[in-house]
Amino acid sequence: MSGYDAAALLAQIADIGTDPRRGGYTRHVFDAAERTLREWFVASAEGLGLTVHVDRNANLWAWWGEPGNDAVVTGSHLDSVPGGGAHDGPLGVVSALAAVDRLQREGFAPTRPVAVVVFAEEEGSRFGMACLGSRLLTGAISAQRAGGLRDEHGTLFADAARAASFPDFGVDREALGRIGVFVELHVEQGKGLIDLGAPVAVGSTILEHGRWRIEVRGRGDHAGTTALADRRDPMLPAAAAVIAARRAALARHDARATIGRIHPVPGGTNVIASRVSAWLDVRAGSAADTRAIVDEVIAEVAEAARREGCEATVIEESYSGEVRFDPMLRDRLARRLGDAPILPTGAGHDAGILAAHVPTAMLFVRNPSGISHAPEEGADDDAVSAGVDALVATIRELA
Ligand code: HGY
Ligand code: MN
Ligand code: MN
């Protein structure tokens, strides 16, 4: 391969973790596909002469030169949502490798350590906590709370991590202390760049966002022999949550609320469920709006549960405050990139977690569909190469 071309690197992993049932990709932390992606990343980074370390939280760090402090770090994640697209995460990783390759070929000699990082479980699709690897690194989540997270089969994160040789996960001040600045390149998960007719933008903010699990208990019974008056059907409060989420978000400027995952037990066509789990994702421009939306959904679920003789509980699983990326760094990169546009996002990222600890920036690359978390997600080739050019210029500027 003539050097590390981002599109060619993406093509190398195009068959890893494909999901024939959902379409797109399903790659969750420590599953077979993600382990193969880890091996691919280590081999690709070592092919560039980088030295790869894996930290106590299963995050991968590929160092250009000796690991050191005040490093310029770039990268993203390789895990996906169920049935996700090819670019959410991997585009940031392949673009980082391609940028380092280009800089090496151009004889660039960084005056600061440079590293490419791959964070573990950014989507939180297996254990429910978004950005688990970067939250553990920074101490945003305790080892104790992380260890108690369970996947849909009931497996504890502590057990899965130990089985994957990460028994001692937890805050890693030494690894965090080496980061001088972090820049994450990511496919845009929206239509901003289409409307602007530009290939690359610099990130400004991330919406406040959280996830809640709604548990409703009723009484399982026969769909044909149970009179309506005798039912305690937990699907009714779950359905109330779906409608309430949309109504409450509509009432607030630019807010979003989604229930994309409902799991009835036992889940038979001719069976009244005995219990239902539903997950609520809320994003808004302020903590007040986010909390107000969740409170409205909780109230509607409680009322529907009372009417149907069910019990309902709502548990907060993950929460991230609004993120404002470092304005000086944001504007410095926008200038360096020829007055690239500056865009907000509603999507969470590891950069959002690191922003509380080190100067952090994001670069977004145009997605012709604007769709993400779905197989239709994409990034056209000229935008991908513009993204690598932007990352090369960014690393030159910072390192
Ligand atoms: O859910 C998000 O916003 C991100 O894709 N993890
Ligand atoms: Mn995502
Ligand atoms: Mn992502």
Side-chain angles (χ1 to χ4, degrees):
M1 171 178 34
S2 63
Y4 278 53
D5 167 76
L9 287 166
L10 272 178
Q12 287 175 11
I13 60 174
D15 296 334
I16 301 171
T18 51
D19 188 325
R21 184 162 69 86
R22 296 183 177 100
Y25 294 90
T26 297
R27 299 155 165 173
H28 297 335
V29 70
F30 304 143
D31 73 9
E34 198 249 13
R35 289 200 307 273
T36 306
L37 288 171
R38 287 171 177 274
E39 289 158 11
W40 164 82
F41 174 75
V42 172
S44 301
E46 288 177 346
L48 281 175
L50 307 185
T51 310
V52 185
H53 297 163
V54 59
D55 70 15
R56 63 190 304 198
N57 298 305
N59 303 310
L60 291 160
W61 302 79
W63 288 94
W64 178 4
E66 279 305 305
N69 289 342
D70 198 28
V72 174
V73 180
T74 182
S76 190
H77 61 95
L78 292 172
D79 67 297
S80 75
V81 294
H87 296 79
D88 177 352
L91 183 66
V93 175
V94 300
S95 299
L97 292 172
V100 167
D101 175 57
R102 174 103 58 83
L103 287 162
Q104 288 181 347
R105 288 169 180 280
E106 290 172 354
F108 177 70
T111 58
R112 297 166 70 174
V114 173
V116 176
V117 67
V118 175
F119 287 111
E121 181 74 340
E122 187 275 339
E123 296 291 1
S125 296
R126 181 174 175 190
F127 291 100
M129 174 61 70
C131 301
L132 185 56
S134 53
R135 286 180 199 261
L136 277 166
L137 166 75
T138 59
I141 185 172
S142 68
Q144 200 229 343
R145 180 161 178 223
L149 297 173
R150 289 183 185 275
D151 69 9
E152 62 181 342
H153 306 298
T155 303
L156 285 168
F157 175 74
D159 294 336
R162 186 178 310 109
S165 311
F166 300 100
D168 185 30
F169 50 87
V171 65
D172 190 337
R173 288 185 182 77
E174 191 188 342
L176 181 57
R178 282 196 284 269
I179 307 172
V181 60
F182 178 60
V183 181
E184 178 168 6
L185 180 144
H186 204 283
V187 64
E188 188 198 350
Q189 297 166 298
K191 298 182 170 64
L193 283 168
I194 297 170
D195 298 342
L196 290 166
V200 172
V202 179
S204 53
T205 57
I206 297 178
L207 283 180
E208 188 106 7
H209 65 283
R211 302 177 186 184
W212 288 262
R213 190 177 78 252
I214 299 166
E215 299 280 0
V216 189
R217 289 189 174 284
R219 186 180 59 222
D221 210 330
H222 193 297
T225 57
T226 313
L228 294 183
D230 295 339
R231 295 186 179 205
R232 290 168 50 196
D233 183 348
M235 283 299 250
L236 277 291
V242 174
I243 303 296
R246 173 61 66 91
R247 187 189 307 121
L250 271 175
R252 288 158 181 91
H253 172 63
D254 204 21
R256 303 108 200 250
T258 312
I259 291 189
R261 182 183 169 203
I262 293 185
H263 181 61
V265 172
T269 302
N270 55 353
V271 178
I272 301 169
S274 57
R275 65 179 194 278
V276 175
S277 303
W279 283 265
L280 171 66
D281 177 308
V282 180
R283 325 246 176 151
S286 69
D289 280 356
T290 306
R291 295 285 177 192
I293 291 166
V294 179
D295 289 347
E296 271 185 41
V297 174
I298 290 172
E300 294 278 336
V301 167
E303 173 52 22
R306 186 193 59 73
R307 281 201 306 272
E308 189 68 17
C310 296
E311 288 88 47
T313 52
V314 182
I315 305 100
E316 180 173 296
E317 286 198 334
S318 167
Y319 196 86
S320 305
E322 185 196 34
V323 172
R324 296 188 165 282
F325 290 117
D326 184 297
M328 300 252 289
L329 179 61
R330 176 200 67 203
D331 296 345
R332 178 179 171 191
L333 294 186
R335 271 196 310 278
R336 183 71 174 74
L337 301 175
D339 286 333
I342 292 173
L343 282 180
T345 183
H349 298 282
D350 294 306
I353 302 298
L354 291 185
H357 302 271
V358 296
T360 299
M362 288 201 76
L363 300 178
F364 296 126
V365 170
R366 185 176 61 229
N367 168 350
S369 71
I371 294 171
S372 184
H373 284 187
E376 293 76 14
E377 176 187 272
D380 34 50
D381 282 351
D382 61 323
V384 169
S385 60
V388 175
D389 295 346
L391 203 47
V392 166
T394 296
I395 296 172
R396 278 186 179 281
E397 173 77 13
L398 299 174

